[in-house]
Amino acid sequence: MRRLVAGLGALLLLAPVAACTGAPGPVPSSSAAAGTGPTETFTFGTASRPLGLDPALVSDVDSYRITRQILEGLVGVDQNSGKPTPLLATEWKTSDDGRTYTFKLRDGVTFQDGTPFDGPAVCTNFNRWFNFSEALRKQAPGTSFKGVFKANADQASLSIYKGCTPLAGGNVEIDLTQPFTGFLQALTLPAFAMSSPKALAAQSADVLNQTRDGQPVSAYALKPVGTGPYVFTSWDNDTVTLSSNKNYWGDRGQIATINFVTYDHPQTRMQALLDGKIDAYDSVTVGNFDQLVKRGKQIIQRDPFSVMYLGMNQDIPALQDLKVRQAIEMALDKDTLIRKFFIDNTSSASQFVPPKLSGFNNNAPSLGHDPAKAKELLAQSTYKGEELKFYYPLNVTRPYLPTPEKVYAEISRELIAVGLNIKPVPVDWSDGYLQKVTSPGDHALHLLGWNGSYADPDNFVGPLFGEKNGEFGYQDPQVFSKIARARGLPDGKDRTGQYQTINAQIAASVPAVPIAFPISALALSDRVVKYPASPVLNEVFTKVVLKS
């Protein structure tokens, strides 16, 4: 997903951060210092409503797009190089054994409710994530902590996270149980942004006793409080409104008010832009691309940093047979799917790690498109015509999946053609689609994708295949062990080789079929002079430049 304004090449080639960095990071702008504030209104069209605004408990693109404006983490992402940069931490150093990180915190920062940002606040957040209960994790399968740190407090001996200690002089220490090469990159995830401890407690952040569009959420997830440049104002049906944080420590930019307005159909989003109702929208589809070009609208493409896939659930007996899974892979015509439904320059995928990341395996096994062979494999397999429920989302556009209904129709046609008994199960995205297909259940097949959040192969294979989960029912202790080992290897040839081996083993066992590394695109109105497009979607709207 990406390009034109922010290329991904530098991001994907970045080396691990040195043991210490001391750049001071952004300073308040002259306008902020002088007391003059932003005055513009910016309206962004989203493809779906957010699933919640507590980034620690969700993982969808549209929720993160909003929470990135409100909350900040210790570490940011350089817009050009993709390297971790100072944000709420101005510098850091790493112990010789790679297990202790000491962060110098930015002075004078307060949360939007007036409470101080300090070492105890950092530790409150880390310990909250670490102590998420199993029951809470089941309610909110979008939690990222376990996918990154391997385990929560209920399995502390397995966790990479050990503890957090506030230190004198505005410092904080994070201790790990083992070296974790991607630790600093992982801290750039929206899930690890800092929330006000006062607000977390006052709004019972870990009690999901509220609902929003049928989703279980906490009171905090309806009104988050961070240190970021924008403050939550309201959430009214299809619109979330944010206002400039008048006490923000950094550059406040031009925009005083942001409106995120949901248009769940590609045509209505495009029409809203053409009618001047919105200033930008994401997830431009193939069908709209040419129309926008003909109307002279700006389109910004992002380099591919996501993978779209057909998921398979091995907890369904018919899919435990490797020959059945191989037949499904052979039935799929990836080239046709890409040509019909994805933006030009989208490439076919044979593995889950994008091509420019270290660990991509040029020789990962791929069975190719061979319907005749697929029929032979099914005949040789244990499959006897059992019904396979195929879940796909309605009323949504994802950066990795622009037209789900059309992609489903083509894939199901190809699967039925080789002899599979497919039962369609359409689920509205806002009716809990993501939770349904990533939790244990009766889903045999499903459409989904993974958008990378930081430039490390672990961000792709770890959360998806690092342990058995409800999405795939995949069980391979050898792969699990290799992923755990690779996390701690220093960057270099051995680590790259380990991830190449992991990719090959995953591809050979076919727990899911990677289909495409999609190009995604945004459309902008004539008001927009500059938009901070990012391969990892780290797009903070203080950097948007509008015509004055």
Side-chain angles (χ1 to χ4, degrees):
M1 315 163 78
R2 0 311 31 198
R3 228 191 74 57
L4 215 97
V5 166
L8 182 60
L11 172 64
L12 296 179
L13 297 174
L14 70 90
V17 177
C20 180
T21 181
V27 296
S29 65
S30 57
S31 62
T36 61
T39 58
E40 301 287 347
T41 296
F42 185 73
T43 302
F44 193 97
T46 66
S48 65
R49 296 176 180 176
L51 299 181
L53 298 180
D54 178 354
L57 295 177
V58 294
S59 59
D60 65 295
V61 168
D62 291 306
S63 297
Y64 277 173
R65 192 190 312 278
I66 297 170
T67 65
R68 285 184 191 274
Q69 319 301 323
I70 303 170
L71 301 101
E72 300 171 309
L74 295 178
V75 182
V77 178
D78 183 87
Q79 206 66 32
N80 297 313
S81 71
K83 293 181 180 179
T85 60
L87 194 56
L88 290 179
T90 57
E91 57 185 284
W92 50 82
K93 61 181 179 180
T94 312
S95 63
D96 290 342
D97 64 3
R99 298 184 183 190
T100 299
Y101 288 76
T102 304
F103 295 89
K104 173 68 175 174
L105 303 183
R106 190 175 295 279
D107 291 331
V109 176
T110 59
F111 288 100
Q112 294 150 1
D113 59 5
T115 57
F117 169 72
D118 53 18
V122 172
C123 291
T124 294
N125 278 271
F126 269 93
N127 291 330
R128 176 202 177 207
W129 307 325
F130 182 52
N131 285 287
F132 280 156
S133 68
E134 183 178 8
L136 178 63
R137 301 195 303 266
K138 287 181 177 178
Q139 274 189 290
T143 54
S144 296
F145 186 90
K146 187 175 181 181
V148 172
F149 291 99
K150 197 175 177 184
N152 292 85
D154 52 1
Q155 293 182 301
S157 63
L158 302 178
S159 184
I160 294 174
Y161 175 79
K162 183 177 182 180
C164 176
T165 308
L167 303 175
N171 293 334
V172 68
E173 181 179 285
I174 308 295
D175 291 304
L176 308 178
T177 59
Q178 62 190 66
F180 177 18
T181 303
F183 176 62
L184 289 171
Q185 286 90 337
L187 290 188
T188 67
L189 282 168
F192 301 134
M194 296 288 127
S195 290
S196 161
K198 178 181 176 181
L200 289 172
Q203 299 178 78
S204 302
D206 298 346
V207 180
L208 309 191
N209 59 358
Q210 313 276 318
T211 58
R212 189 82 199 201
D213 296 327
Q215 304 293 322
V217 296
S218 69
Y220 178 75
L222 300 176
K223 192 175 182 180
V225 179
T227 63
Y230 295 96
V231 178
F232 175 85
T233 302
S234 64
W235 184 353
D236 179 22
N237 294 323
D238 290 328
T239 302
V240 176
T241 299
L242 311 182
S243 302
S244 181
N245 176 6
K246 63 182 180 182
N247 296 316
Y248 184 54
W249 58 266
D251 190 341
R252 295 170 63 199
Q254 288 180 269
I255 297 169
T257 303
I258 307 172
N259 296 309
F260 294 96
V261 183
T262 300
Y263 296 87
D264 60 15
H265 192 278
Q267 195 68 26
T268 59
R269 283 197 302 281
M270 183 184 73
Q271 196 60 50
L273 184 80
L274 296 176
D275 292 344
K277 294 179 180 178
I278 60 177
D279 298 300
Y281 78 87
D282 204 350
S283 304
V284 173
T285 62
V286 170
N288 292 156
F289 197 100
D290 288 344
Q291 297 178 63
L292 289 164
V293 171
K294 288 176 183 177
R295 297 291 291 269
K297 295 302 178 184
Q298 303 177 72
I299 296 176
I300 296 179
Q301 293 180 246
R302 303 188 190 94
D303 288 333
F305 200 51
S306 65
V307 58
M308 178 260 161
Y309 59 82
L310 173 68
M312 294 185 278
N313 181 9
Q314 291 181 47
D315 283 336
I316 302 300
L319 294 176
Q320 292 171 4
D321 188 334
L322 175 61
K323 289 181 179 178
V324 176
R325 302 197 303 277
Q326 289 174 329
I328 289 171
E329 179 178 352
M330 289 181 160
L332 298 187
D333 184 351
K334 297 179 185 180
D335 290 340
T336 294
L337 286 163
I338 290 169
R339 185 178 68 254
K340 285 185 174 182
F341 307 120
F342 293 88
I343 291 172
D344 286 351
N345 299 318
T346 292
S347 60
S348 177
S350 62
Q351 59 197 284
F352 285 81
V353 173
K356 293 182 181 178
L357 261 185
S358 64
F360 178 81
N361 189 338
N362 287 310
N363 299 311
S366 177
L367 299 175
H369 176 50
D370 191 339
K373 180 63 174 176
K375 291 178 182 179
E376 288 179 21
L377 281 172
L378 282 182
Q380 298 166 10
S381 75
T382 56
Y383 182 69
K384 303 303 178 188
E386 296 93 332
E387 180 180 86
L388 299 176
K389 293 184 178 180
F390 190 160
Y391 281 59
Y392 64 98
L394 300 176
N395 299 319
V396 71
T397 301
R398 301 285 86 190
Y400 50 74
L401 188 58
T403 50
E405 295 95 334
K406 292 180 180 179
V407 172
Y408 162 77
E410 177 63 25
I411 289 178
S412 64
R413 183 191 66 76
E414 294 172 357
L415 296 178
I416 291 168
V418 300
L420 290 158
N421 180 7
I422 301 298
K423 180 181 179 180
V425 184
V427 179
D428 198 283
W429 181 265
S430 65
D431 192 30
Y433 178 79
L434 193 60
Q435 182 160 357
K436 285 179 169 66
V437 301
T438 57
S439 301
D442 65 355
H443 53 93
L445 306 171
H446 65 277
L447 291 181
L448 206 57
W450 182 264
N451 195 87
S453 297
Y454 60 95
D456 191 280
D458 182 67
N459 181 227
F460 285 84
V461 299
L464 294 174
F465 305 112
E467 63 177 3
K468 184 176 180 181
N469 58 44
E471 182 175 3
F472 305 118
Y474 169 70
Q475 183 72 37
D476 189 333
Q478 188 180 67
V479 168
F480 299 166
S481 177
K482 286 183 177 180
I483 290 174
R485 179 174 177 268
R487 280 186 172 128
L489 290 175
D491 198 68
K493 184 177 179 181
D494 288 347
R495 191 169 192 262
T496 296
Q498 183 84 335
Y499 278 110
Q500 288 173 337
T501 298
I502 290 166
N503 281 330
Q505 285 191 234
I506 292 171
S509 62
V510 201
V513 182
I515 293 172
F517 295 119
I519 297 283
S520 75
L522 303 109
L524 307 175
S525 76
D526 296 339
R527 286 186 69 210
V528 182
V529 175
K530 182 180 179 183
Y531 182 91
S534 160
V536 295
L537 306 183
N538 184 40
E539 298 167 356
V540 179
F541 290 175
T542 53
K543 294 183 172 65
V544 172
V545 178
L546 303 174
K547 289 180 181 176
S548 54

